Amino acid sequence: MKTETRLQEMSDFLKTKRSRIHPHMVGLPAGTRRRTPGLRREEVAQLAGVSTTWYTWLEQGRDIKVSASVLDAVSNALQLNTDERKYLFALAMEEGVKSSELDEEEAIISPSLNKILKELQYCPTIITDRKCHIVGWNQAAANVFLDFEQVEDEQRNLIYLVFARKELRSLAVNWEHFVKGFLAIFRTYYGQYVADPWYSDFIEKMEKDFPEFQELWNESEVSSAPEVLIEFRHGKAGKMLFNLTSLQVQGNHDLRCSVYTPVEDTNTENKLKKLMERTR
């Protein structure tokens, strides 16, 4: 990622987070002449113990020197969670891995990981790499989502597919909630690999092709492993409820298992079994 792009992303991120902290959340009076819903820059600076000028420069994306202690103070002022702090540090201190250092060889699913996929027979599971490219899935996932084998390899990107394929748009009852979880994960990679131009190129293409992407992306959610309850309305199986658990796989490719576990005390697993029996 070019320095300008990295700093612009940091600027956008800080502005978004500042706008979501209301004065009463940090013990400040709201006042009567406030034009924005969130904190003012000078209020963030006051809370962080830095000068207003320095924080303004930081938020404007100027290429200034920062320290870990000051970034910690800013993170506290903006009430960032652990993942958001890591993201800010990666952008501000350019901690991302250089693109030349990345292992660009095709990710290979190990025999042990492949066995786990098969053992999760009635838990739709998808394995993705650091670019959210789908590199593995089980039969349950193919039945609930779509047959990824029929998708061209260059289009087999999870972020792209949830916007591009009507089957996935109509599957989730709350599509935006469904998508936000994946975008939050994708943003953690974006911050971690700020030197790889693939990310900025991909985001630019998504913003051009899908207007909704830009709106959701600008919310700047960051989460390395969101756990959410998702309701699907499957065309053949009807209402299905799953808990999504995201698991990181150790290795050079940052593989991630997204496991959809049928919610207990619902008929979801039985519906999935019947769906899979009909397609065998």
Side-chain angles (χ1 to χ4, degrees):
M1 184 191 296
K2 295 180 179 179
T3 298
E4 312 89 78
T5 306
R6 172 179 62 83
L7 293 175
Q8 182 60 53
E9 173 56 29
M10 182 182 68
S11 173
D12 294 340
F13 179 73
L14 288 171
K15 290 175 184 176
T16 299
K17 294 306 174 184
R18 176 166 62 85
S19 70
R20 295 181 180 177
I21 303 295
H22 298 280
H24 72 269
M25 296 169 63
V26 293
L28 294 175
T32 57
R33 301 179 63 183
R34 187 175 296 273
R35 291 179 295 177
T36 57
L39 295 178
R40 299 186 179 101
R41 285 173 175 168
E42 57 266 29
E43 291 171 332
V44 176
Q46 176 187 342
L47 291 169
V50 299
S51 72
T52 299
T53 299
W54 185 91
Y55 179 76
T56 299
W57 286 352
L58 181 71
E59 193 179 281
Q60 288 177 340
R62 297 197 187 187
D63 195 5
I64 60 177
K65 291 184 178 181
V66 296
S67 67
S69 59
V70 173
L71 283 180
D72 263 332
V74 171
S75 298
N76 290 333
L78 295 176
Q79 300 184 357
L80 302 185
N81 62 33
T82 300
D83 289 325
E84 291 168 338
R85 285 171 183 263
K86 291 179 179 178
Y87 186 67
L88 176 59
F89 269 70
L91 294 174
M93 305 186 78
E94 201 167 5
E95 295 178 340
V97 178
K98 294 181 180 179
S99 57
S100 60
E101 298 173 354
L102 297 177
D103 182 359
E104 295 297 344
E105 292 182 6
E106 182 179 354
I108 299 176
I109 304 298
S110 67
S112 58
L113 188 55
N114 193 49
K115 181 174 176 58
I116 292 174
L117 267 179
K118 292 181 178 179
E119 289 296 325
L120 293 170
Q121 187 175 4
Y122 300 116
C123 294
T125 303
I126 299 173
I127 299 177
T128 52
D129 63 14
R130 66 173 67 97
K131 295 177 179 178
C132 287
H133 191 76
I134 300 171
V135 297
W137 61 90
N138 60 10
Q139 192 57 42
N143 278 267
V144 171
F145 298 108
L146 54 85
D147 186 357
F148 298 110
E149 191 68 43
Q150 302 302 315
V151 179
E152 294 182 11
D153 182 69
E154 61 270 19
Q155 294 185 352
R156 206 179 290 158
N157 181 284
L158 187 57
I159 303 300
Y160 171 79
L161 290 176
V162 293
F163 283 89
R165 297 298 290 260
K166 61 180 182 180
E167 306 97 303
L168 298 181
R169 279 180 172 269
S170 62
L171 179 62
V173 171
N174 188 336
W175 178 79
E176 287 192 3
H177 178 66
F178 179 54
V179 170
K180 284 179 181 179
F182 294 121
L183 291 181
I185 292 173
F186 185 67
R187 191 178 286 276
T188 64
Y189 291 128
Y190 181 51
Q192 187 177 357
Y193 297 105
V194 294
D196 188 347
W198 180 89
Y199 289 90
S200 53
D201 291 343
F202 178 78
I203 291 169
E204 182 179 351
K205 184 178 186 306
M206 289 294 296
E207 289 178 336
K208 179 181 178 181
D209 294 346
F210 307 102
E212 314 100 309
F213 173 86
Q214 183 172 17
E215 180 180 348
L216 296 174
W217 180 251
N218 287 344
E219 294 189 14
S220 298
E221 298 296 333
V222 186
S223 178
S224 59
E227 294 189 13
V228 294
L229 173 66
I230 296 178
E231 179 179 346
F232 290 151
R233 293 286 182 177
H234 195 274
K236 296 180 180 179
K239 179 180 178 179
M240 307 176 83
L241 293 172
F242 292 96
N243 286 311
L244 169 60
T245 302
S246 182
L247 307 171
Q248 192 74 34
V249 181
Q250 297 300 316
N252 295 331
H253 292 280
D254 294 312
L255 295 184
R256 177 185 298 272
C257 280
S258 296
V259 183
Y260 293 80
T261 307
V263 174
E264 294 184 3
D265 300 323
T266 69
N267 201 29
T268 298
E269 186 168 335
N270 288 332
K271 289 181 178 179
L272 180 55
K273 289 179 179 179
K274 292 178 181 178
L275 177 65
M276 294 178 67
E277 287 173 359
R278 291 199 299 266
T279 57
R280 283 174 182 166

